[in-house]
Amino acid sequence: MPARIGTDDLATDAASQDLADRVAHFVDAGLLDTDNPRLAADHFSALTVLLAYERQPIPATADPEKVRQTMADGVHAFIRAYATR
């Protein structure tokens, strides 16, 4: 039986694909190094948005500075992992 796709999956799939397309653009421009832009985009999301939401799960009470720092740290980790050498 095929996996069922929920409405949340449909809502985020287009954004995930857009991010993967941007990563592919940066790969083509020689700024990032990966053979799998979709996986790299997933890593970017995990290191930034997902980690920020994990650490600050209630947006109404999230500390903006902690969210900003989590996002910045995630971007730095992503660049260290995927920057061209």
Side-chain angles (χ1 to χ4, degrees), residues 33-68:
D33 182 23
T34 182
D35 292 332
N36 189 338
R38 182 63 186 247
L39 179 59
D42 289 346
H43 287 159
F44 182 86
S45 294
L47 289 166
T48 56
V49 177
L50 294 178
L51 194 54
Y53 274 114
E54 178 186 277
R55 291 187 176 168
Q56 303 283 312
I58 303 170
T61 61
D63 178 341
E65 180 55 29
K66 287 182 181 177
V67 171
R68 187 202 66 74

Side-chain angles (χ1 to χ4, degrees), residues 2-76:
R4 184 173 173 183
I5 297 175
T7 56
D8 286 345
D9 295 330
L10 294 174
T12 60
D13 193 51
S16 295
Q17 187 56 52
D18 287 345
L19 182 56
D21 291 345
R22 293 305 300 162
V23 169
H25 169 79
F26 291 128
V27 169
D28 291 343
L31 299 171
L32 295 176
D33 182 23
T34 182
D35 292 332
N36 189 338
R38 182 63 186 247
L39 179 59
D42 289 346
H43 287 159
F44 182 86
S45 294
L47 289 166
T48 56
V49 177
L50 294 178
L51 194 54
Y53 274 114
E54 178 186 277
R55 291 187 176 168
Q56 303 283 312
I58 303 170
T61 61
D63 178 341
E65 180 55 29
K66 287 182 181 177
V67 171
R68 187 202 66 74
Q69 189 61 54
T70 298
M71 299 285 280
D73 291 343
V75 169
H76 291 155

